[in-house]
Each structure stands twice: as structure tokens, then as C-alpha cells.
Amino acid sequence: MGMSIIRIIPVLLALFPAPLPAAVPRIAILGDSIPYAGYWPALLESGLRRNSAYRNAEIVNFSLPSETASGLSEPGHAAGAFPRPCIHDRLDAILSRYKPTLVIACYGMNDGMMQPFSEANFQAYQQSMERLKAKTESAGARFIAVTPPLYMADTPEKDSARYNAVLDIYAEWLNGQKKKGWLVADMRPGLSRQIRAAKEKNPRFMYAPDGVHPGPEGHLMIARSVWPAIASFLNLSPNVRFAEGDAFNKILERHNLFKLAWLSETGHKRPGIPAGVPIAELPRIAEDVWTKTAPEPGADPHSRNLKNTVPVVDFILDALRKTGASMLRENKEPARTGPEKAS
């Protein structure tokens, strides 16, 4: 009897094989200089890694300063040094070499070029986002669109082109695609509420000193604003505690290391981006980098101790070009005189 059972076991194992381990998620974050700065994408990464399904995920920020989805560029951009890059010039390389299972894309801030509403610009943005989604999904990845952040949120009276209203139109169109099955994370309402609350507590609070690029607290607000929708799409809890302190710094350092490595690996046309290490030299994910956490969403942002951790993007680039230092070790922020055009 015992021998019969022993002989049957291999047959049963063949009939009911052990399930294969789930594929490791591979997440690509696309966008312009605001996500390129790394802060809100790294916070998002820290939230994802708290869940076992994403603890060992590959999460790479492919964002690029000045970039658009539409391919438009205003005359004399960057003092005539180069036109705005376009994600579609490098999308095939990202999809074929990185092979993401999920793409999170945040475009719009640069697509209207900080100008009054233009139907031609708007149509270019619509068509480019449709194309971005279609190509992503044809490569086998899910696609999440994120609405653009706010423009001149601290000094709306200086928004002579009413560009924030232009971004409202872009966001409204994106939200309208939900009825077609699009996954859209709209940061704008939550971001507006947090900025108002912060200014009520501290009238001197500045979300984005130059009108475009948020400071670190503004990035935290963005992360809080996009998390609930992204968590819903991924069947995660809407409540999250982001990493802070040394744990966050470790995530940010790794995040930026992987970003530059993969930007070099997949190629781009944006001058001034530091070269990354070969991807074969990238380290393994540390097991403990997500253990220390930030205050719960809704907590007072002024209670945080990371105010000067991440400067705005052009200062990051200057620091890296001049010294090669790690981004998170640069603590100074330059004075700003007006909105930064090359986001």
C-alpha cells in the first residue's frame, strides 16, 4: 500500500504542478522635470514597497526635464540651446529594453508651453497621450495617466496667460477618458486643498517658488494626492505612510541612481543630464529601506524634517555637473525671480 502511494505522488505532482512565482513588477515613471527631481516618485516608491507585492519591484523614473508628450517646443526654448525633447523619441527604447509591466505618465505642464489656450496645442496633447497609452498597452503594460500639477499656485494673479486654467482643461480631458477605461490619477483637487490648508496655517508657505517646480513639501503633497487613485488601480490600501529620514534618503539615492542609469541605457536628446552607471552595475534592493515612515496623509507638512533635502531640478543638474555629488547631499536652493520655462 505504501509503495502504491509513493508511485502515485509523481503522477499527482505532474497533474497539479506548483504555481510559478508571480513576475516581479516593473514600473516605469514618465514625465518632465517635476518628477525628474525624484522626490514625489521616490515617495510613491516607498509607499509601494510597503506592500509585499511590490517590495522587490523594479521601479525606475524615466522622467526628463523640459520633456513633452506632444512634441511641441516654443521658439527659443532654453535660450535657443535645444528644443524640448519628446517622450515618443525614446518610448520604443524604454518599452523594449526595460520591458515595464506598468507605466505611470505625468505630462501636460510643458505641453501648452506656458501660453494661453491653443486648440492646436490641445489636440497635439490629446493625440500624443492616446498614442502613449496605445503603445504602452501594445507592449503588454498597464498605463496610468497622471494629470499635470498646478501652475503659479502661490501667485495666481501673476498667471497672465491663465495657464493654470489651460492645465485644468488638459486634466478635464484626461478625466473624461475614464469612461473609455483609462486609469487616471487626478492630483489637482487634492493638491489644491493641501496648498490652501498649508497657507492657512502659514501664510508664507510656498508650494513652488518659481511657479512651476514644487519644493520638497510640495512634492509630498503631490505624492499624497496621487496615491489614493494609484493604490486603487493596484488594489492597495488608500492609506499609506511614506518613508522619511534616513530611510527616505536611501530610497531617493537609489531612485536617482537607477534613473540616471536607465536614462543612459535607453537614450534621450536632452543636454545636461549626467551619465548613469551601466545597468549591470546597479545594486540589489536593500531589504530595510521602507521601514521608517512619514506622517499619515493629512498630517501637518511643516512637521517634517526634510525641508531642504531636494532642491529644484536645475540646481540639481548644476550640482551634479560641477561636483558629481549625490543629489540628496545638496541642501541649498537658489533664489528665483520668475517662472521657470524649461520644466
Side-chain angles (χ1 to χ4, degrees):
M1 186 64 142
M3 289 299 294
S4 299
I5 293 175
I6 292 173
R7 290 170 181 167
I8 291 172
I9 289 174
V11 177
L12 292 175
L13 291 175
L15 291 174
F16 302 100
L20 294 173
V24 174
R26 298 177 64 82
I27 300 174
I29 300 172
L30 309 180
D32 50 38
S33 63
I34 298 174
Y36 174 87
Y39 193 80
W40 78 254
L43 287 167
L44 183 68
E45 177 177 346
S46 78
L48 289 170
R49 294 202 186 282
R50 291 183 60 79
N51 185 280
S52 59
Y54 295 92
R55 188 154 297 157
N56 297 311
E58 289 291 340
I59 303 173
V60 176
N61 185 354
F62 287 90
S63 301
L64 200 61
S66 309
E67 190 165 75
T68 69
S70 62
L72 301 174
S73 185
E74 66 272 39
H77 172 258
F82 60 91
R84 292 187 181 277
C86 176
I87 181 56
H88 290 287
D89 292 336
R90 60 195 184 98
L91 181 60
D92 287 342
I94 293 171
L95 295 176
S96 63
R97 298 182 192 177
Y98 180 64
K99 295 180 172 59
T101 60
L102 171 66
V103 169
I104 301 172
C106 183
Y107 288 101
M109 180 61 78
N110 294 332
D111 290 273
M113 295 174 288
M114 287 73 174
Q115 298 173 358
F117 179 77
S118 160
E119 187 64 40
N121 292 353
F122 184 39
Q123 289 181 1
Y125 173 74
Q126 292 172 303
Q127 293 168 2
S128 66
M129 292 300 291
E130 290 171 340
R131 182 183 171 199
L132 179 55
K133 177 178 182 291
K135 293 198 75 171
T136 296
E137 293 178 341
S138 68
R142 298 177 77 191
F143 179 78
I144 297 175
V146 180
T147 59
L150 303 178
Y151 178 76
M152 300 293 283
D154 300 294
T155 54
E157 69 279 3
K158 296 182 180 180
D159 184 8
S160 58
R162 300 192 72 247
Y163 191 64
N164 195 54
V166 173
L167 297 181
D168 281 337
I169 295 172
Y170 286 24
E172 182 180 7
W173 175 79
L174 273 180
N175 282 314
Q177 303 313 296
K178 293 176 182 178
K179 61 188 176 185
K180 298 181 180 179
W182 286 44
L183 303 179
V184 179
D186 186 2
M187 77 166 75
R188 293 174 70 79
L191 187 55
S192 295
R193 286 193 296 269
Q194 291 182 82
I195 293 172
R196 285 196 302 269
K199 288 182 178 296
E200 288 174 1
K201 292 181 179 179
N202 176 15
R204 300 181 64 184
F205 170 77
M206 295 291 286
Y207 159 75
D210 69 350
V212 177
H213 301 99
E217 291 176 4
H219 277 270
L220 176 60
M221 292 174 176
I222 290 176
R224 289 173 173 167
S225 298
V226 300
W227 175 265
I230 291 177
S232 175
F233 302 146
L234 303 181
N235 296 316
L236 304 177
S237 171
N239 300 314
V240 67
R241 298 184 67 189
F242 299 117
E244 67 171 357
D246 289 342
F248 174 74
N249 287 343
K250 290 178 183 178
I251 289 177
L252 181 65
E253 190 167 33
R254 180 191 178 280
H255 183 95
N256 287 327
L257 179 69
F258 273 61
K259 173 184 67 184
L260 295 179
W262 275 102
L263 283 174
S264 294
E265 171 69 18
T266 53
H268 59 82
K269 299 180 180 180
R270 185 21 165 118
I273 303 299
V277 302
I279 57 173
E281 297 179 11
L282 291 173
R284 295 176 63 86
I285 298 171
E287 292 292 333
D288 63 345
V289 295
W290 53 84
T291 56
K292 294 183 180 179
T293 55
E296 293 283 1
D300 182 0
H302 298 282
S303 66
R304 289 179 58 82
N305 190 21
L306 298 174
K307 186 172 182 180
N308 297 317
T309 300
V310 184
V312 290
V313 65
D314 50 354
F315 185 65
I316 294 173
L317 295 178
D318 288 341
L320 285 166
R321 283 196 294 267
K322 293 175 182 177
T323 69
S326 169
M327 291 182 189
L328 64 87
R329 294 190 177 90
E330 293 295 333
N331 293 323
K332 296 180 182 179
E333 289 196 16
R336 292 289 186 171
T337 58
E340 173 59 60
K341 289 281 188 172
S343 71

